[in-house]
Amino acid sequence: MPVKDTAVCIRKVDYSESSLILTLFSKNNGKLRLIAKGAKKSKGLAGNIEIFTSGEAVFLPVKYAESNLGTLTDFDITEKYHKIRRSWAGLNFALCAADLLSYFVNENQPNPDLYDRFTGFLNAVSSASELEAAKNLILFQLDMLELTGNSMNVSLCSGCGRAFDKSWKEAFFSETEVAIYCPQCRDKARESFPLKPAAVRAILAREPIQLAEDGEMIWYIEKFILKYITCHLGKMPKTVQSLKRHFEKL
């Protein structure tokens, strides 16, 4: 039986001469992998769907299909976020966010709050300066980690349980344990590197990120978040590699 849901396209892959495989992030059904049959030869249905295109999708879920893919039967486009493509940096930030969703969101697992957060991020990046777009990406990444149950463990020392506060003169992040340590527990942290307390404070409070005008600190925070994500996933997402040149220009 067909299902209708609001969705945004986060990935598009050729399947055959005429068909596409689309990954949609939907509000009430989570991540969906759908085949759009004949889409490449038709101006209707999925033929006009690009990355970030959003609208009302009608699809047959996997349980009614003969493969591990659902089938897209209709897509009424409501927004294409064309303005994102006017900025090379904004486009790459949005592609990174979409790529991270494909890693952290499970198929058919609803996460309406994250859906709203992602579409809000796309709207913000569409009209933001490069620095503001970078800050929006950081804030989206932190919210995405939290809303998928993967919050950054930076509020407590993994060694002694001491809460992070203004008294910390140093902090150390263990890549092996994906956790932070206070100065007194530094020797317990395996494969660790020093972390600026100001970055930890910004991640925990969020407001310092929103107010920041220092591009170097924004890049420092983003590098730490990407390190955390890479350690968590066990690999670096491909789109992450394109961020460096944009953040270093801030």
Side-chain angles (χ1 to χ4, degrees):
M1 187 166 184
V3 176
K4 185 176 182 179
D5 199 358
T6 303
V8 57
C9 180
I10 57 174
R11 184 171 290 179
K12 177 179 177 179
V13 180
D14 288 341
Y15 179 71
S16 66
E17 290 185 2
S18 61
S19 301
L20 297 166
I21 292 178
L22 302 175
T23 301
L24 305 182
F25 181 38
S26 67
K27 185 163 187 173
N28 299 309
N29 290 272
K31 185 172 69 176
L32 304 167
R33 293 181 69 244
L34 307 173
I35 185 168
K37 297 178 181 179
K40 294 169 68 176
K41 292 186 176 181
S42 171
K43 292 184 179 180
L45 187 59
N48 293 319
I49 298 178
E50 300 295 339
I51 305 298
F52 312 131
T53 298
S54 66
E56 295 295 321
V58 180
F59 61 95
L60 290 173
V62 173
K63 63 182 179 180
Y64 297 110
E66 298 178 357
S67 67
N68 62 345
L69 298 170
T71 302
L72 185 70
T73 60
D74 195 15
F75 197 99
D76 183 15
I77 296 173
T78 57
E79 177 62 72
K80 285 195 171 185
Y81 296 101
H82 283 307
K83 290 182 180 179
I84 288 177
R85 291 172 171 80
R86 295 178 184 176
S87 164
W88 184 236
L91 176 60
N92 277 286
F93 294 160
L95 288 171
C96 176
D99 195 26
L100 291 175
L101 282 177
S102 70
Y103 281 103
F104 282 93
V105 177
N106 296 323
E107 291 188 38
N108 305 305
Q109 182 175 316
N111 198 328
D113 289 341
L114 182 55
Y115 177 86
D116 289 341
R117 183 66 185 84
F118 180 58
T119 54
F121 163 77
L122 293 179
N123 276 313
V125 171
S126 296
S127 58
S129 66
E130 205 159 312
L131 177 61
E132 290 302 314
K135 291 192 288 185
N136 271 288
L137 175 62
I138 289 175
L139 293 168
F140 170 76
Q141 289 169 330
L142 294 174
D143 288 341
M144 179 203 67
L145 289 169
E146 182 178 324
L147 291 169
T148 56
N150 299 289
S151 296
M152 297 184 73
N153 305 316
V154 295
S155 60
L156 299 173
C157 171
S158 187
C160 64
R162 176 184 165 198
F164 177 85
D165 57 31
K166 294 180 180 180
S167 67
W168 287 43
K169 302 303 180 186
E170 291 179 295
F172 299 88
F173 179 73
S174 169
E175 296 184 45
T176 304
E177 299 165 68
V178 196
I180 69 163
Y181 286 80
C182 68
Q184 287 72 27
C185 295
R186 178 180 182 178
D187 293 340
K188 298 178 184 179
R190 293 179 294 163
E191 296 184 28
S192 66
F193 61 85
L195 188 62
K196 293 179 181 179
V200 179
R201 283 194 290 273
I203 288 169
L204 290 173
R206 309 289 175 89
E207 187 178 7
I209 297 172
Q210 296 172 325
L211 300 176
E213 296 296 334
D214 182 358
E216 187 175 341
M217 176 54 77
I218 290 297
W219 175 220
Y220 184 90
I221 294 171
E222 175 64 3
K223 282 191 291 185
F224 174 48
I225 294 173
L226 295 180
K227 176 67 74 174
Y228 179 91
I229 288 172
T230 300
C231 292
H232 185 83
L233 294 176
K235 61 181 177 181
M236 179 181 288
K238 291 181 180 179
T239 54
V240 164
Q241 300 173 27
S242 66
L243 297 181
K244 181 178 179 180
R245 63 177 176 270
H246 297 299
F247 273 89
E248 287 185 335
K249 287 194 238 177
L250 297 177

